[in-house]
Amino acid sequence: VKPPPVTRYNLNNVTITHNPLENRENILILTPMARFYQAYWDNLLKLTYSHELITLGFILPKNKEGNAATTELQKQIAKTQQYGPEKDRFKSIIILRQDFDPPLPSQDEGERHKMQNQKVRRAAMAKARNSLLFTTLGPSTSWVLWLDADIIETPPTLIQDLAFHDKPLIAPNCFQRYYNTEKKAMDERAYDFNNWQDSPTAQELASKMGYDDILLEGYADMATYRALMAYMYEEGADIHHEVPLDGVGGTALLVKADVHRDGAMFPAFAFYHLIETEGFAKMAKRLGWQAAGLPNYKVYHYNE
Ligand code: GDP
Ligand code: MN
């Protein structure tokens, strides 16, 4: 009788280097998805990192909108994985449906960003990210790229460019294109305010807060005076210019898998008065992993 097969992985042989393509390192791209945008998928297909080294993981809410997005996503997956050219096909794809209930109501950008909705929303997002992460991170994963479902434009070399910096966590700068009615022309503005450097004011605010209270960024009612990476962009400057960060967003974020393996995840509760991705940066830091950002390296968020 043959013994059952045992697969052995030596984590020491799973490299995490600044040249992942040459070293054939496996990337896990993780996307929480409330809505499906074709432009997100098209951009994903254009990534030049070998698709045979990329696993995709999605988590979608179990509401009407989530059902519709799942249908759309599955259509595109079939098109790419079964009928598309070989070089476009990804190594594997995992779709999860959120199992914690009740799902949040669908909210537009204005509603989502209201301060009183933030704690509940961010906690739900943290849980979704953790479920996705802990069910998909494999023994041969070298890097995790967090990429929101509404990131519709990135350089095709995104993975190689970010990994090149060899940082435990690294975030590009997330912008949004819009029609500027004053200029009567297309324009762009900063979008993700969760990439920041801490300030004494924010520390002071936090020290006076209740046990379960969280600091939020980008709200006039809560002036933190943190240095936001969104405002560090300099036209024409080096795209590889690096800054240290204390808080990160999840719109686009490359993380060494070892950071997650060490136990850094997305707190769904107040952790040093921070939640979700910002809490993640703090937890990573407590584990000895410092986040970095690239203020001049832009990716673009969908404009609702
Ligand atoms: P914002 O850009 O900061 O306003 O945040 P989003 O609402 O865009 O959420 C961030 C990411 O999570 C996006 O990829 C959304 O599609 C996704 N998302 C939003 N709400 C949920 C949810 O309830 N469940 C899941 N699984 N994903 C969600
Ligand atoms: Mn978004």
Side-chain angles (χ1 to χ4, degrees):
V1 186
K2 268 215 296 200
V6 173
T7 314
R8 290 166 195 280
Y9 293 91
N10 187 344
L11 283 179
N12 293 329
N13 296 339
V14 178
T15 64
I16 306 178
T17 66
H18 75 288
N19 193 351
L21 201 46
E22 187 162 297
N23 296 314
R24 298 196 54 80
E25 292 169 11
N26 290 294
I27 314 280
L28 178 61
I29 300 183
L30 296 181
T31 301
M33 179 179 278
R35 299 176 189 178
F36 177 84
Y37 294 114
Q38 188 59 43
Y40 159 87
W41 188 258
D42 293 343
N43 183 71
L44 199 64
L45 285 186
K46 283 190 225 140
L47 294 180
T48 56
Y49 198 86
S50 279
H51 288 196
E52 62 184 10
L53 296 172
I54 298 178
T55 294
L56 305 178
F58 299 93
I59 187 164
L60 299 96
K62 264 202 162 158
N63 55 20
K64 202 171 157 210
E65 202 178 36
N67 295 344
T70 306
T71 305
E72 281 304 301
L73 175 63
Q74 278 170 327
K75 247 190 251 168
Q76 294 306 316
I77 289 174
K79 217 166 128 187
T80 302
Q81 298 297 92
Q82 289 167 28
Y83 310 112
E86 197 100 15
K87 66 154 185 50
D88 279 357
R89 297 184 196 170
F90 296 99
K91 181 178 182 180
S92 60
I93 302 179
I94 300 154
I95 299 179
L96 307 176
R97 299 302 302 276
Q98 232 158 275
D99 60 356
F100 46 93
D101 280 316
L104 291 177
S106 159
Q107 292 169 325
D108 64 20
E109 194 176 308
E111 195 60 26
R112 279 197 321 263
H113 292 177
K114 280 185 188 156
M115 202 163 169
Q116 71 269 24
N117 288 336
Q118 279 290 301
K119 197 172 168 185
V120 172
R121 271 212 69 76
R122 298 287 301 274
M125 283 309 307
K127 286 188 184 178
R129 290 186 192 280
N130 289 333
S131 298
L132 182 56
L133 173 64
F134 293 127
T135 51
T136 57
L137 186 73
S140 61
T141 311
S142 292
W143 300 87
V144 177
L145 175 66
W146 289 95
L147 191 64
D148 275 356
D150 41 23
I151 296 303
I152 51 169
E153 188 185 334
T154 71
T157 48
L158 177 72
I159 295 169
Q160 299 93 310
D161 294 345
L162 295 180
F164 178 75
H165 287 262
D166 205 17
K167 292 290 182 221
L169 302 73
I170 190 161
N173 213 354
C174 182
F175 275 58
Q176 183 179 52
R177 297 190 193 280
Y178 74 105
Y179 185 76
N180 185 327
T181 47
E182 272 162 42
K183 290 189 191 167
K184 292 200 167 50
M186 286 306 288
D187 202 350
E188 52 182 63
R189 59 190 167 208
Y191 186 85
D192 194 339
F193 298 122
N194 293 336
N195 294 305
W196 45 255
Q197 297 170 337
D198 212 352
S199 70
T201 308
Q203 288 295 306
E204 176 78 15
L205 280 173
S207 72
K208 291 177 184 150
M209 277 182 153
Y211 181 73
D212 266 335
D213 291 339
I214 54 165
L215 287 163
L216 293 167
E217 194 48 68
Y219 295 88
D221 292 358
M222 196 189 271
T224 62
Y225 299 96
R226 288 167 176 156
L228 306 185
M229 182 166 79
Y231 298 138
M232 293 178 195
Y233 170 73
E234 273 185 75
E235 178 128 34
D238 180 14
I239 59 164
H240 285 292
H241 171 60
E242 235 178 61
V243 297
L245 294 177
D246 300 304
V248 299
T251 49
L253 178 70
L254 186 72
V255 181
K256 289 187 177 183
D258 281 352
V259 175
H260 287 311
R261 284 195 190 98
D262 270 1
M265 46 68 159
F266 302 92
F269 48 88
F271 179 74
Y272 290 80
H273 302 288
L274 301 171
I275 199 165
E276 204 216 353
T277 55
E278 295 163 291
F280 166 55
K282 182 68 176 182
M283 203 180 289
K285 191 157 182 163
R286 295 288 287 115
L287 285 159
W289 306 102
Q290 171 69 52
L294 302 180
N296 301 321
Y297 193 100
K298 288 195 220 161
V299 301
Y300 292 90
H301 189 280
Y302 185 80
N303 186 359
E304 289 172 28

